[in-house]
Amino acid sequence: MNGEDTETLLALISSLLHNPIHDQSVLLDALVECDGDVERAAALLDSRSASSSRPSSSRSGPELVQKKTAAVGMKRKSGGLTGWLEKPSASSTPQPKKARSDDGPVKSRMRGGPGPASSRLADFKLRKADNDTSDVLPSLPIDDIENDSPPERPPSTAKAPAESPIKVKNVTNEEFMTILRPPNSTDASRAGPPKQPPLTLTTPDMIAKHVPCTMHTSVLPPELACRLFYTMLDLSRNWDRNKWWLFDRLVESPHKTSFFIRQYPSTEAESVEMDEAAQFWYNGRQTGSSPPFPQVMEEACQYIEKVVNVEMHKRQRFPMEYGGEPPQRPGGSDDYDNGQNVVWRANVAASNCYEGAKEGVGFHTDALTYLGPYPTIASLSLGTTRTFRLREVVPSNEKDTRAARTYNMPLPHNSLTIMHASCQEMFKHAIPPQRTIDLYHPQYPPPEDMRERISSDPSNARINITFRFFRPDYKPSQTPRCKCGVPCILRPDMKHRHALPNDDDSQAPGGSSGKGSPTKGRPLRRDAVAKYWWACYAGAVNEGKGCGMWQVMDPVAEGRGPFAGDV
């Protein structure tokens, strides 16, 4: 009966009985006493049934069998595990036959060997102690688990039964848990510092606390902001999507762009150089001549310049910021109503149009070719609200201790975001696509000369104007050219930075401002990049093929400056 399970053995015993017995515990006891031999177990039960039905008994056979069965069941239940393992005495149990080679598996499942229950329990505990460790699970045959009986060692006396064909393997906790739950895809050997979830900055105070930016809402008069939106939306119909080569394929920007020049160069030579700088402003790619500021943009720029200069006077400046006086605009003055000198004045503006929720731009930093180190960029948002995303570039010496964090800033209509000095050196920014957006409802109708082309219906477009200051010490005539004959692009070494001292040591790191006036609640550190380098960018226009030239910028040897501090 090799390979039969317990239920099959019980069914075979029942089929051989002259008087059926329905209590499976009685059948199981007889099967254990007879070492799994079905025929002997059936004969034993028939003999007990015949002896119980003799005339000396006043009770009938079935009643006595039921009574004895109940007694045996009660005895087994009261005995616990010992009752299952006890070997019946030789006087009450027939001697077992010699083990046959074909019933090895049955005996390995149904008996544990000769000897009293305490001896077999000791053997079971000994084998468990030998096989179990702190991280190894004991391997149990399936039938033993189902029958709630422990595994036992084969008898050490006489001839050992045939070895069971069931192969048992020790399984560690880690292997066992892998079966129940597959391991994560992240390799433990590559695990770095804990990552922080993105943080949404919803107020100007939160923005100033976490990133080198400031937010200014309702920066323009409502009518001027609405009129500027209509004007730029009308002009955007003729804007292009910039194209450039990325490795070996030509890619196109996911939004339309344009570039504008503020007309106030003092000489013809400066005007020519400004034109050349404007032509190479986007990814080092030549874009053609640029138009001047529209009149409504000039009005808005004057409001924005005042806000930017006030903010810059509150902050501690970096040494490599521009330290000279910016060119004076025609009819303007060198100071504002509060008597502060002008330290920043826009002379160019890049404009972007994002139509719908899917148009955006990926993470990038603005090229510093004509902006110079530590520029200040004023970004005006008009139209529907979109998310402005910032992510810090963690220096190489800190990548094992902290992870980069992403910050999301909703930019509503008529809001100004100033990206202060160090933003381009420490952070990358993007406008991600969104699932949904809120339509912008203009407060005022379009100007009369635009009403045939522009309506006041709700719009899904966002107009972004970034006002910039192209430094006179980084003019095109001083820009190195690579072997391809194309102006190089200036990039910061964002992976290597060093800390700068504050003007006031009592202030929190990074929370200082100019003239000893701290900016409240700013825990930002004042880090400076180690170096800048000029690199070939001909690959953007030459089918992705460049000369690979690069060189470290030497501001003193190249005649740059004046600077705000010692270089």
Side-chain angles (χ1 to χ4, degrees), residues 219-220 224 262 293 295-309 329-332 336 344-346 467:
V219 66
L220 301 178
L224 177 60
R262 197 176 190 182
F293 279 20
Q295 179 59 36
V296 63
M297 183 186 289
E298 175 64 34
E299 295 180 36
C301 186
Q302 295 181 24
Y303 282 95
I304 291 171
E305 281 181 341
K306 294 180 181 180
V307 176
V308 172
N309 278 273
R329 60 182 174 86
Y336 289 121
W344 184 90
R345 180 175 286 122
F467 295 92

Side-chain angles (χ1 to χ4, degrees), residues 287-456:
T287 57
S289 59
S290 301
F293 279 20
Q295 179 59 36
V296 63
M297 183 186 289
E298 175 64 34
E299 295 180 36
C301 186
Q302 295 181 24
Y303 282 95
I304 291 171
E305 281 181 341
K306 294 180 181 180
V307 176
V308 172
N309 278 273
V310 169
E311 282 296 324
M312 290 185 66
H313 277 285
K314 295 179 182 178
R315 305 174 69 87
Q316 182 178 347
R317 306 194 68 186
F318 286 83
M320 293 193 71
E321 286 188 68
Y322 185 63
E325 292 289 338
Q328 183 178 349
R329 60 182 174 86
S333 60
D334 289 335
D335 54 52
Y336 289 121
D337 296 339
N338 55 11
Q340 292 178 333
N341 293 333
V342 176
V343 295
W344 184 90
R345 180 175 286 122
N347 50 14
V348 296
S351 186
N352 307 289
C353 179
Y354 303 91
E355 293 182 307
K358 301 305 180 184
E359 291 192 359
V361 63
F363 277 107
H364 67 283
T365 58
D366 294 336
L368 305 181
T369 308
Y370 308 112
L371 294 170
Y374 296 97
T376 298
I377 300 176
S379 177
L380 177 66
S381 296
L382 302 170
T384 186
T385 300
R386 292 293 297 268
T387 297
F388 180 63
R389 184 166 291 173
L390 284 165
R391 184 169 62 195
E392 183 186 4
V393 177
V394 178
S396 300
N397 61 341
E398 300 180 21
K399 64 180 182 179
D400 295 332
T401 58
R402 66 186 182 97
R405 189 169 194 179
T406 300
Y407 301 93
N408 295 321
M409 299 166 48
L411 304 181
H413 170 72
N414 197 15
S415 64
L416 178 69
T417 303
I418 304 177
M419 292 184 283
H420 290 282
S422 79
C423 187
Q424 304 301 322
E425 281 80 2
M426 297 174 57
F427 288 81
K428 291 187 176 183
H429 56 272
I431 299 292
Q434 300 178 196
R435 292 184 178 180
T436 59
I437 55 175
D438 295 329
L439 296 179
Y440 166 61
H441 298 264
Q443 294 178 271
Y444 298 87
E448 294 184 1
D449 58 339
M450 300 182 189
R451 291 181 182 177
E452 295 182 358
R453 305 183 303 271
I454 300 294
S455 68
S456 59

